[in-house]
Amino acid sequence: MKHVLCITTFPPRVCGIATFSYDLIQAINKKFQDDYIVDVCAVESSLEHHSYDDRVKYVLNTSDKKDFDIISKRINNDTNVDLICIQHEFGLYIENQDAFLKFIQTIKKPVIIVFHTVLPNSKDFSQEYLCNVIDACQAVIVMTKSSSDILQKEYHVESSKISIIPHGTHLVSQISKDVLKEKYGYSGRKILSTFGLLSPGKSIETTLDALPAIIKEHPSVLFLIIGETHPTFAKKYGEVYRDSLEAKVKKLDLSNNVKFINKYLDTNILLEYLQMTDLYLFTSSDPNQAVSGTFVYALSCGCPIIATPIPHAFELLSDNTGVIFNFHDSLQLAKSTNILLNDDKVRAQMSISGLQKTAFTAWENTAIAYTLLFEKILQSDKRLTYSLPEINLDHILSMSQLLGIIQFSNGNQPDLESGYTLDDNARALISVCMAEEGDEHPKYGEYIERYLNFISFCQQEDGTLKNYVDKDGKFTAQNEDVLLEDSNGRAIWALGYFILHGNRIHKSYIWAAEKAIRLTFPNLSRIKSPRSIAFAIKGLYYYFMKKPSPDLYDKIEMLANKLSELYISAKGNGWKWFEPYLTYENAVLPESILCAYNVTQNQKFKDISKESFDFLLEKIFIDGEIKVISNHNWLNKGEQNNKYGEQPVDVAGTVIALAKFYDEFQDKEYIQKQKVAFSWFMGNNHLHQIIYNPATGGCYDGLEKNNINLNQGAESTVCYLMARLSLIKE
């Protein structure tokens, strides 16, 4: 266990850095709870004294020069501090700059400094001073490329010393704007908003001056000014700024179109306000403001944004993600606002672009980036342990409407137009049965019945099953154009699993599942696809475990012999696989052969399963990560694995198969590989980004070279859940 001490302002102090640090520390402690503990040295001044919880280990009074020496000595003598992370804003240490510099130079532990502001052409703070601060640190973190460029060009900091880690954002489970507006009493209104601690630098008056022209075209507009006055400003000047804004509202007769929400909102409520916002207005008057937490929070909630030209805005609002206007230019702001309020399509596209750009800034991803830097500075050779999230079926249940689970989603919103598939409903049946297994008070019965009914609906008189059903419950033309062997095999897998694991309260449905699986028997000998054969073997294996019979034995043996013949035919020159290439859902092939061995005790099946599975693992476990076969081009014999284009279904299949192989062979290497494979969902992948979204319970649809597909469809989500529930308990 490693200990990091974060030197920063911290709640209950109300300021942006305190909020940032709280969220960052929460994310690191939660995501890497077996590897890292982050404690706090709270930064105060003579104007700011607070009572803290037990996360705060030390308190540094920056108004007292002697306090720097006292705290540095305590830190150096503290054996439970391995690394220091300083959150830096120039104003925090302005009273005793020299003491702060000496403080950093005196600390004997590795130091990382995080610059929330980087000043170009600095006159107030000499380059020599800042360079001395940087020289005393092992690494520097900034939040934007422009800040990194300034440090390199003007302060001559080596690029290797700088890490760009964006300001974190909260994941949200997207809620309809109309639903939220009704909840807060704003139905029928176009919402403009801004939030943050109020001070003159926010330049809220710029929006107030623009409102008359906006209201003329859009009388229903409501401008929400969210946030209390900045405590430091209030202590010096009282509510003079808020009073001036209220006076302007009265003067311009805007009382029906402006509302002050004069409080520091709970994060969940704030995120709902942002989600119902039609346009977010960022009017900061500081051209040197490197980054804004309020700005990225709005963007991550899908807000189209109109912003002044701070560096952060230039970086994030390119590519039609938002609109930039000149400082204090109310006429330009009014014009841009009216144009966007008149164009729902453009705002919707901006919302999607913003969500794509900020997906990698989720606090979970920020925590990964910080922790990987900690590991680098501490030269750790221990593999990180990604903490497991709680089991969450919310997204699966929200996707399960009408006939069954809907195929695709837009973000985390079900896309009913995409219809339904047998594939997804078969997997959903398995995953929900797994979640319900062993529960004394089953709660997913209606969903299990829905998936079973869908399978029954898809089954034809000859025992075959169709796969594609539209939103109105009609079979689509795809069923005639696409080979349906895999979907038929998955249905057999699901039916067999349900027969073995279905809860006692589903007794009547178990009888129906038996009838459905037996209807498929005449078609088993005609299956040719290796994966279809494998899925069918798994289903028959589960059925056999519940009700063994010679008939089932023979069918399992027949199908396993088919796979064995394919293996023997393709094997050679170091290639130990069932085909001359590796494609999709590979792990199910050796797993199914092992299931066949469990029934028949045929040593040939056991040998093939072990040999082929270990061969697959050699191909997909690389440098401490799993890299499943790319869906862009398969891995042909003699080629190298393409790293990009990875699908959750393939990772999940590997996790499930590793559990089966450990159960059979008791090789602890399988446990270790299962942990590594599952950590792919948690961020142990080439982008170091989460694939599973803990806010929704959904799983993103794919990992590409430079981005993640943010849609959370049925296949990815149910496969993630199956993987999560297949983890071996040591």
Side-chain angles (χ1 to χ4, degrees), residues 295 299 303-306 313 315-323 340 346-347 349-358:
F295 180 88
L299 207 59
C303 294
I305 295 180
I306 303 177
E315 288 191 20
L316 286 178
L317 297 188
S318 58
D319 306 323
N320 299 316
T321 307
V323 173
L340 288 181
V346 169
R347 290 202 318 279
Q349 185 55 53
M350 283 183 172
S351 177
I352 293 169
S353 298
L355 290 171
Q356 285 281 357
K357 283 199 171 185
T358 56

Side-chain angles (χ1 to χ4, degrees), residues 159-180:
S159 61
S160 60
K161 195 170 187 175
I162 303 169
S163 295
I164 303 173
I165 303 179
H167 191 299
T169 56
H170 293 280
L171 292 168
V172 297
S173 180
Q174 297 165 19
I175 306 172
S176 160
K177 288 187 189 300
D178 291 339
V179 169
L180 288 171

Side-chain angles (χ1 to χ4, degrees), residues 436-442 503-504:
E436 194 175 74
E437 192 175 351
D439 195 332
E440 292 183 10
H441 305 287
N503 193 284
R504 62 187 181 279

Side-chain angles (χ1 to χ4, degrees), residues 14 194-199 202 204 224-230 239 242 245 259-265 270:
V14 178
T194 192
F195 88 93
L197 298 171
L198 289 193
S199 66
K202 294 285 186 182
I204 305 296
L224 302 177
I225 303 171
I226 305 167
E228 62 187 35
T229 300
H230 197 294
E239 292 290 347
R242 185 180 296 277
L245 295 177
K259 182 173 182 178
F260 289 88
I261 300 173
N262 185 13
K263 60 178 74 173
Y264 195 80
L265 294 179
L270 172 63

Side-chain angles (χ1 to χ4, degrees), residues 553-554 556-562 564-565 568 592-610 664-665:
Y553 181 103
D554 291 343
I556 292 169
E557 185 178 50
M558 177 267 295
L559 292 171
N561 277 324
K562 276 192 173 186
S564 298
E565 290 165 9
I568 293 166
S592 69
I593 289 280
L594 188 55
C595 289
Y597 164 73
N598 291 152
V599 170
T600 65
Q601 295 299 298
N602 185 329
Q603 186 65 33
K604 176 182 71 171
F605 296 156
K606 185 176 185 179
D607 293 343
I608 288 174
S609 69
K610 182 81 165 63
E664 179 65 36
F665 294 99

